[in-house]
Amino acid sequence: MFNEERRFEQPIRWAMIGGGRGSQIGYIHRTAAARDGLFQLVAGAFDINAERCVDFGKNLGLDTSRCYSDYKVMLEEESKREDGIEAVSIATPNKFHYEMCKDALEANLHVICEKPLCFTVAEAEELKTLAEAKGKIIGVMYGYTGHQMVHQARKMIENGDLGDIRIINMQFAHGWHSEEVEANDPGTKWRVSPEVAGPSYVLGDVGTHAFYLAEVMVPDLEIEELMCSRQSFVKSRSPLEDNAHVMIHFKGGVVGNLWASCVNAGAIHEQKIRIVGSKASIEWWDEHPNQLSYEVQGKPKQLLDRGHGYLYNEDPAVSANRIGAGHSVGLFESWANLYHRFALAMEAKNNDDTATLEDLWYPDVDAGIEGVRLIEKCVESADNGCKWVAYE
Ligand SMILES: NC(=O)c1ccc[n+]([C@@H]2O[C@H](COP(=O)([O-])OP(=O)(O)OC[C@H]3O[C@@H](n4cnc5c(N)ncnc54)[C@H](O)[C@@H]3O)[C@@H](O)[C@H]2O)c1
């Protein structure tokens, strides 16, 4: 069960870059970080608009002198204070991630960054090297992986409940952008602009979430080669895709496919992963995150439910269990579980506690690198006539 008694003498002094008023994802970062008292929001460069940043920060209860119009000024000013920030979360549009992560690490801060971590694998590797040199962690906000049933799936696979893994079916295919909504929505507009979003739209925006679920559930998987087809059904989005299909050959004979889309008309989220083994299959759907479908060949389908004693009683699944079965928990708890783990990782890193760090699962910089690599390889394949490309 989750341990709410885990406390630091002082919460980690924490700031946000981006995530300002009206942003899609700022609020869940703040509530997740605040949930267990391990972080305290003390500063922010929340907004591209300076006036709105100060007004917003003030309304969140911050000292206005710590609401900064420019994140670089925040890093500089906070580094002069004895009570300056120790960690920062970056929740801006994608194009800023690399530079902001780099500057924050240079300023000796732990970093939690939104996905995709940056635009190229070379940049991602550079951030990893810098974090190591600075003795800091980078967490990447793959926010669905704090759910208990995702880790139940991982344990079932590890313990052989499915037999040998054969097929991995991944999708995150919503329908919210079936029409050209970006004409009136700045939060979508930047997502279809290559200079801000990077080399892909749906592959990076949603596809990497489903792919990371597979990485968590089957951590030993390594891609050997992949083939991607991407297209823009709303033509003005070209060269960025609003739909993509990826076929994957993993090392050792496992095969997979990934469907990333924002034009799956009528669908709400449709983020699903199905893992097929020689004896049984499991399926998890983020719209019903408290259940995991377990289908043994020749037997009736079972729906496993969060919080029950019949689940594997091991970490990280068990520490993600905040309340007994039957009570609904959701994305906010999943994110809080991740922020809890980011805090423990920061503490372990500060104390050079490598034993704890080796045991502590969280979406780390390697998760970020692999997401960027997936995008890079998919784009390479799709833009070269859907050819199979080796994955290295
Ligand atoms: N993990 C998830 O589930 C998830 C979900 C949604 C978005 N995201 C990611 O979060 C990031 C933000 O997405 P969003 O949908 O919240 O975007 P958004 O457009 O809704 O909000 C972006 C925010 O960043 C601010 N901003 C922009 N440039 C800035 C700068 N230079 N300095 C300071 N603030 C700046 C804006 O003013 C705004 O408040 C993206 O990278 C996106 O991929 C992740």
Side-chain angles (χ1 to χ4, degrees):
M1 192 83 177
F2 175 74
N3 178 12
E4 66 175 310
E5 293 170 55
R6 192 74 180 84
R7 280 285 183 275
F8 301 151
E9 269 177 38
Q10 295 294 327
I12 296 166
R13 294 185 297 278
W14 173 69
M16 282 197 77
I17 307 177
R21 180 181 290 150
S23 65
Q24 189 186 145
I25 213 69
Y27 173 65
I28 191 167
H29 274 279
R30 286 182 287 278
T31 54
R35 185 68 165 266
D36 302 323
L38 301 180
F39 290 93
Q40 186 185 2
L41 182 69
V42 295
F46 301 106
D47 206 295
I48 197 84
N49 176 304
E51 213 175 297
R52 212 163 46 200
C53 171
V54 176
D55 193 47
F56 182 67
K58 190 175 76 183
N59 289 344
L60 293 182
L62 296 189
D63 179 342
T64 51
S65 69
R66 297 179 84 176
C67 303
Y68 299 91
S69 57
D70 180 334
Y71 85 93
K72 285 182 191 276
V73 177
M74 174 171 84
L75 299 182
E76 198 182 320
E77 291 303 312
E78 289 289 321
S79 71
K80 296 177 191 160
R81 300 177 66 114
E82 276 198 8
D83 64 349
I85 56 175
E86 301 163 284
V88 68
S89 289
I90 298 166
T92 61
N94 306 351
K95 82 164 177 182
F96 301 109
H97 293 179
Y98 165 71
E99 192 191 350
M100 288 173 173
C101 272
K102 195 169 160 190
D103 289 345
L105 291 167
E106 296 283 11
N108 296 310
L109 301 177
H110 294 289
V111 177
I112 296 163
C113 188
E114 265 305 346
K115 40 54 53 179
L117 178 58
C118 48
F119 284 1
T120 67
V121 172
E123 287 172 352
E125 299 275 13
E126 192 190 325
L127 292 173
K128 178 177 177 175
T129 304
L130 180 58
E132 275 163 8
K134 290 287 185 177
K136 302 295 165 195
I137 72 137
I138 299 177
V140 181
M141 204 59 225
Y142 286 114
Y144 301 95
T145 54
H147 282 295
Q148 184 182 6
M149 299 312 276
V150 170
H151 295 278
Q152 166 69 14
R154 177 189 175 112
K155 281 287 163 203
M156 290 173 74
I157 292 163
E158 186 183 305
N159 291 342
D161 297 354
L162 275 60
D164 297 330
I165 301 306
R166 292 176 168 170
I167 302 162
I168 303 186
N169 202 324
M170 299 157 271
Q171 67 172 63
F172 195 153
H174 67 82
W176 293 99
H177 300 160
S178 297
E179 293 178 0
E180 198 178 1
V181 294
E182 56 269 30
N184 299 309
D185 177 10
T188 307
K189 182 78 193 158
W190 70 252
R191 284 174 157 82
V192 296
S193 311
E195 62 284 5
V196 190
S200 78
Y201 169 28
V202 290
L203 283 161
D205 202 51
V206 290
T208 51
H209 276 299
F211 177 65
Y212 187 56
L213 285 175
E215 289 193 297
V216 172
M217 291 180 183
V218 203
D220 295 337
L221 274 188
E222 279 181 68
I223 298 179
E224 188 168 357
E225 56 177 2
L226 62 71
M227 190 256 273
C228 174
S229 160
R230 65 172 186 160
Q231 47 284 131
S232 338
F233 283 102
V234 174
K235 294 296 170 214
S236 56
R237 291 173 182 159
S238 176
L240 297 194
E241 78 290 346
D242 53 21
N243 187 76
H245 292 274
V246 189
M247 285 182 63
I248 303 174
H249 290 159
F250 295 96
K251 288 182 183 160
V254 179
V255 296
N257 62 287
L258 168 67
W259 178 27
S261 186
C262 67
V263 294
N264 183 15
I268 299 173
H269 244 203
E270 289 296 312
Q271 179 178 204
K272 286 182 175 167
I273 178 163
R274 182 174 179 84
I275 301 188
V276 179
S278 53
K279 294 196 297 200
S281 303
I282 50 171
E283 188 163 316
W284 183 82
W285 179 11
D286 77 343
E287 292 172 36
H288 296 276
N290 298 323
Q291 277 93 40
L292 181 68
S293 175
Y294 177 38
E295 300 157 41
V296 180
Q297 180 56 35
K299 295 198 174 157
K301 183 168 167 170
Q302 299 177 61
L303 258 195
L304 310 184
D305 242 301
R306 191 200 61 73
H308 276 284
Y310 55 70
L311 302 176
Y312 284 112
N313 189 25
E314 289 168 53
D315 236 8
V318 70
S319 64
N321 181 20
R322 288 172 178 256
I323 192 164
H327 301 94
S328 32
V329 304
L331 192 64
F332 284 88
E333 283 72 27
S334 174
W335 278 58
N337 291 338
L338 296 177
Y339 260 94
H340 195 103
R341 287 175 167 274
F342 293 146
L344 298 185
M346 288 175 194
E347 187 201 38
K349 196 75 181 169
N350 290 347
N351 296 332
D352 281 329
D353 181 354
T354 42
T356 297
L357 278 170
E358 271 165 23
D359 272 0
L360 184 73
W361 171 87
Y362 68 98
D364 60 7
V365 67
D366 289 322
I369 293 171
E370 289 316 308
V372 175
R373 194 188 312 280
L374 180 82
I375 298 167
E376 210 168 82
K377 289 290 171 187
C378 285
V379 169
E380 182 189 333
S381 167
D383 294 1
N384 284 284
C386 306
K387 71 167 187 192
W388 283 93
V389 293
Y391 204 80
E392 64 246 348

